[in-house]
């Protein structure tokens, strides 16, 4: 029979000789292997005290971005919802009223913006689709919960902290993945 | 009462009491467990007579091996009080008569012996392992060797039976 | 020995009581930490870290486990035999601890002018006593297994019984060979022989030691012979129906058995409390006893590590392989060893 892969290994089916039938050498060999592992350096991280850094391409929870003055970038164009392969994003648009210019950057904004984290597959296509750089995926992952409805994240959950009122939280939430300011 | 006689009476009552319990308990598993208690009581008597070797061999052979096999078989047979067949009265009568006759024979045999001679407690040396060994290998060497050949052949037989053919 | 039953004074009773309490609690404590050691050894051999949350390095983990077992709900199945169901774990624990009576934990020490022997009972049938108690160890498992009224439990119990009976034979025969070399059944005598002049018995009886070691693994129901509890075919074997501290007793008894059989092996084959390359008779008795206890504990811990090392290396036997090994290999080997030892003793002593 032809081997299916080049890694296939021929098993030796010849009858065992006396030394092999004693089994003791094989047992000692196995025990030496486990003893070697006994003294090996352990690769486990002691999780809460010692955390692994995320890789630069990690895609976690979504964040709705604001610009430097703290105005929401999102203009509720719906491109992210169209791009989403899991259909996790839904939104409702509203028109910006006079006097709200400090809240919303464009004339149109998202009154309601929801992402169902149980549907989301964290592919990052919404981030690529967004023309306004309003949504990107951060370096945290969705925490567990007891109820399904808790996983539908509203706009309040997703919005990044205000850069002027809460600069520290903003910086923390921004992470390393936000695009440089001058591009927007 | 000395500590020896206290122990003697305790062990005797234990032995007789558990023998009775063994007879009257409905569940065969319980009977076996009472029987094991009897063996322990008898081993205690052996120790009192300074026959330690006999005591421990009694436990190893009877309590440790034979009773385990008994227990093994009874557990597999699943004998319960409910499944016990009802014996007819004639059989029961015959059983009582023959048991009584056996008791009579045993009693008369005990009466015939020098019953007033108490069993030597603690002072005897025959039960110690050196003396026992010397007796077995000098005076009783032929029966001892014969029985050991019997046991060896039984063991070899077990090995042969376990061999697939 | 012949008058010892009569010659009981209060000081002797007191000293024996203290010794019994110390030995029992020491074996309980060592068994507790053996569970911790087992988890650590298992973890280290699998490139993990093991328990490290309760206290520094997880050193309080056994306490946490024990506490958890105590506070678990006690379940006694409706169709079980209630008395025997409770008796099972008690018997297992009892027989596990009983063996420690004849093991010499050290030479005598001197307190208030009295010479106190560090052995609970120096009987001249010590080895037979150990053998007898070992053969009783199966009752705890069998009774508990049957009383649970569960087919998996019963299977576990039956396996335990037939396994222990089968391996007892080979163990007994290797005992006999050792007996021919030492000429005494008292464990104290054996240690003294190994301490003065002789080599350790393992030098005279390497094959006997190997057989004894394998049988000890089987008698303790340790992997690769843990068929009675075989968790992936019999759920939990004989302790399927057990919960709370009764389960704890069964698991604990296994660790005590391991500790005691390590002590027996150390005593029989590795010189007991003999500290190698040190002449104990030149030291003060108390220091010598301390040194002896340290030496014995070191040997015991080494054996316990061996038990764990093998457990996390070698997979479980199939049942027919187990019986094949016991009856077809170990018994003929042990018989051969006995005959060879007899011939050697006859040749060298003539």
């Amino acid at each position: 029979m032809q081997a299916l892969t080049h890694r296939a290994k021929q098993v030796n089916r010849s009858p065992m000789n006396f030394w092999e039938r004693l089994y003791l050498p094989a047992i000692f060999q196995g025990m030496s292997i486990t003893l070697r592992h006994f003294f090996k350096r352990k690769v486990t991280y002691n999780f809460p005290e010692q955390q692994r850094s995320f890789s630069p391409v990690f895609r976690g929870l979504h964040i709705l971005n604001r610009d430097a003055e703290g105005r929401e970038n999102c203009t509720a164009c719906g491109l992210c919802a169209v791009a989403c392969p899991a259909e996790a994003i839904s939104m409702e648009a509203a028109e910006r009223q006079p006097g709200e210019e400090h809240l919303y950057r464009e004339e149109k904004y998202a009154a309601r913006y929801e992402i169902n984290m149980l549907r989301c597959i964290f592919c990052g296509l919404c981030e690529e689709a967004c023309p306004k750089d309003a949504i990107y995926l951060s370096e945290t992952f969705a925490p567990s919960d007891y109820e399904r409805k808790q996983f539908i994240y509203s706009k309040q959950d997703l919005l990044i902290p205000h850069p002027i009122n809460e600069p520290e939280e903003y910086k923390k939430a921004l992470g390393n993945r936000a695009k440089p300011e001058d591009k927007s | 009462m000395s500590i020896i006689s206290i122990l003697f009476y305790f062990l005797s009552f234990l032995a007789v009491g558990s023998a009775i319990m063994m007879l009257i308990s409905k569940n065969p598993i319980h009977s076996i467990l009472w029987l094991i208690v009897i063996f322990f009581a008898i081993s205690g008597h052996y120790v009192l007579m300074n026959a330690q070797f006999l005591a421990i061999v009694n436990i190893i052979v009877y309590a440790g091996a034979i009773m385990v096999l008994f227990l093994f078989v009874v557990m597999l047979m699943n004998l319960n009080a409910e499944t016990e067949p009802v014996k007819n009265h004639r059989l029961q009568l015959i059983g009582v008569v023959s048991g009584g006759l056996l008791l009579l024979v045993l009693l008369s045999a005990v009466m015939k012996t020098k019953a007033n001679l108490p069993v030597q407690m603690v002072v005897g040396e025959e039960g110690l392992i050196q003396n026992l060994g010397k007796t077995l290998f000098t005076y009783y060497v032929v029966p001892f060797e014969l029985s050991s050949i019997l046991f060896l052949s039984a063991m070899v037989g077990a090995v042969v039976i376990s061999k697939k053919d | 020995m012949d008058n010892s039953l009569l010659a009981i004074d209060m000081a002797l009773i007191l000293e024996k009581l203290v010794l019994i309490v110390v030995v029992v609690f020491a074996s309980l404590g060592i068994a507790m930490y053996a569970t911790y050691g087992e988890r650590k050894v298992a973890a280290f051999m699998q490139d993990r870290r093991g328990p490290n949350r309760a206290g520094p390095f997880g050193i309080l983990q056994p306490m946490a486990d024990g506490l958890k077992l105590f506070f678990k709900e006690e379940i006694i199945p409706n169709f079980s035999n209630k008395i025997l169901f409770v008796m099972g774990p008690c018997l297992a624990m009892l027989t596990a601890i009983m063996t420690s009576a004849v093991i010499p934990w050290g030479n005598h020490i001197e307190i208030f002018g009295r010479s106190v022997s560090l052995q609970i009972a120096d009987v001249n049938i010590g080895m037979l006593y150990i053998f007898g108690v070992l053969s009783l160890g199966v009752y705890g498992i069998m009774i508990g297994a049957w009383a649970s009224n569960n087919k998996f439990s019963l299977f576990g119990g039956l396996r335990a019984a037939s396994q222990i009976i089968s391996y007892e034979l080979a163990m007994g025969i290797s005992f006999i060979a050792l007996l021919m070399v030492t000429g005494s059944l008292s464990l104290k005598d054996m240690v003294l022989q190994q301490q003065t002049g002789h080599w350790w018995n393992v030098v005279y009886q390497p094959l006997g030691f190997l057989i004894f070691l394998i049988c000890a693994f089987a008698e303790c129901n340790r992997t690769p012979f843990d068929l009675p509890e075989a968790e992936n075919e019999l759920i939990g074997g004989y302790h399927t129906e057990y919960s709370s501290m009764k389960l704890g007793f069964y698991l604990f008894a296994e660790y005590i058995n391991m500790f005691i059989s390590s002590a027996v092996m150390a005593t029989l084959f590795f010189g007991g409390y003999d500290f190698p390359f040190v002449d104990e008779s030149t030291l003060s008795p108390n220091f010598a006893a301390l040194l002896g206890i340290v030496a014995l504990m070191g040997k015991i811990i080494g054996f316990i590590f061996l038990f764990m090392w093998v457990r996390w290396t070698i997979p479980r036997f199939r049942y027919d392989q187990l019986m094949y090994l016991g009856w077809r290999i170990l018994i003929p080997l042990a018989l051969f060893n006995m005959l060879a030892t007899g011939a050697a003793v006859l040749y060298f002593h003539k």
Side-chain angles (χ1 to χ4, degrees), chain C residues 243-266:
Chain C
S243 60
S244 180
M245 205 53 207
K246 290 208 283 294
L247 172 69
F249 265 30
Y250 268 132
L251 302 182
F252 225 69
E254 182 184 323
Y255 283 96
I256 296 179
N257 270 331
M258 197 163 86
F259 167 61
I260 297 289
S261 49
S262 301
V264 169
M265 278 189 285

Side-chain angles (χ1 to χ4, degrees), chain C residues 59-210:
Chain C
I59 208 87
L60 298 176
Q61 188 68 39
M63 319 278 171
D65 289 345
L67 214 64
K68 185 199 100 175
L69 280 173
F70 265 116
F71 287 119
K72 283 266 181 175
E73 188 188 352
E74 191 103 14
I75 297 168
I76 298 183
N78 258 342
F79 289 94
S80 66
N81 188 324
K82 307 246 172 1
I83 303 167
L84 294 184
F85 189 79
V86 178
M87 229 170 92
C90 301
L91 269 179
M93 200 72 174
L94 180 76
T95 48
I97 294 181
M98 256 165 74
T99 326
S100 61
V102 293
I103 294 171
W105 299 100
N107 213 339
H108 60 93
I109 52 172
E110 274 171 22
I111 307 174
F112 311 127
R114 279 181 65 90
S115 168
V116 179
S117 167
L118 288 179
Q119 185 182 16
I120 296 171
D122 182 18
V123 287
N124 62 8
I125 46 160
M127 252 164 66
L128 286 177
Y129 173 84
I130 289 174
F131 199 57
V133 175
L134 267 182
S135 62
L136 295 180
V138 69
Y139 279 117
I141 292 177
M142 274 189 92
I143 288 173
W146 181 79
S148 311
N149 202 4
N150 176 324
K151 287 193 176 57
F152 290 113
S153 297
L154 188 62
F155 268 124
L158 294 180
R159 281 182 175 195
S162 42
Q163 171 180 330
I164 289 180
I165 291 176
S166 310
Y167 279 79
E168 234 167 41
L169 274 175
M171 198 181 211
I173 299 172
S174 68
F175 253 158
I176 293 174
L178 180 66
L179 190 62
M180 286 174 177
V181 175
T182 59
S184 169
L185 279 169
S186 160
L187 294 174
K188 185 100 178 187
D189 287 356
M190 286 188 187
V191 174
L192 287 177
Q193 274 181 11
Q194 296 179 63
Q195 207 169 18
T196 53
H198 284 67
W199 294 89
W200 288 349
N201 280 336
V202 68
V203 179
Y204 303 115
Q205 283 289 319
L207 187 59
F209 171 66
L210 189 68

Side-chain angles (χ1 to χ4, degrees), chain B residues 125-150:
Chain B
E125 295 257 301
E126 283 77 22
L128 291 184
I129 194 159
Q130 283 94 349
N131 302 328
L132 201 70
K134 266 185 200 126
T135 318
L136 277 181
F137 280 101
T138 52
Y139 194 69
Y140 293 110
V141 68
V142 175
F144 183 79
E145 288 299 329
L146 282 179
S147 58
S148 65
I149 288 172
L150 180 70

